[in-house]
Amino acid sequence: DDNNHTGVTAQNLKEVESTAGAVSTNMNGDKEVDTNHLTFANTATIGELSRRVLALEEVVKELSEKLKEKEL
């Protein structure tokens, strides 16, 4: 259509391992994005990032405690 569209492109998503599965090619050769698959991939990635942040926060806490001990 003649309308302008914004957002992620299928080509960008295809380059990222976690979202590549959301991209398919239709019979005309155009790339299409399965938004349900994309939502699932994004949710899983957010969960993984949250786990990593929690682990890093624990490391920071441990290092801060060790630093305080050395200052005493």
Side-chain angles (χ1 to χ4, degrees), residues 9-22:
T9 63
Q11 289 81 0
N12 296 124
L13 294 173
K14 193 76 173 161
E15 294 174 5
V16 179
E17 183 179 344
S18 63
T19 57

Side-chain angles (χ1 to χ4, degrees), residues 36-66:
N36 288 328
H37 187 110
L38 182 59
T39 299
F40 175 78
N42 287 341
T43 301
T45 300
I46 289 168
E48 173 62 24
L49 291 173
S50 294
R51 286 186 289 281
R52 289 182 181 191
V53 167
L54 290 173
L56 289 171
E57 287 175 339
E58 187 61 33
V59 170
V60 168
K61 180 181 174 184
E62 291 172 7
L63 292 174
S64 293
E65 290 172 359
K66 287 181 181 181

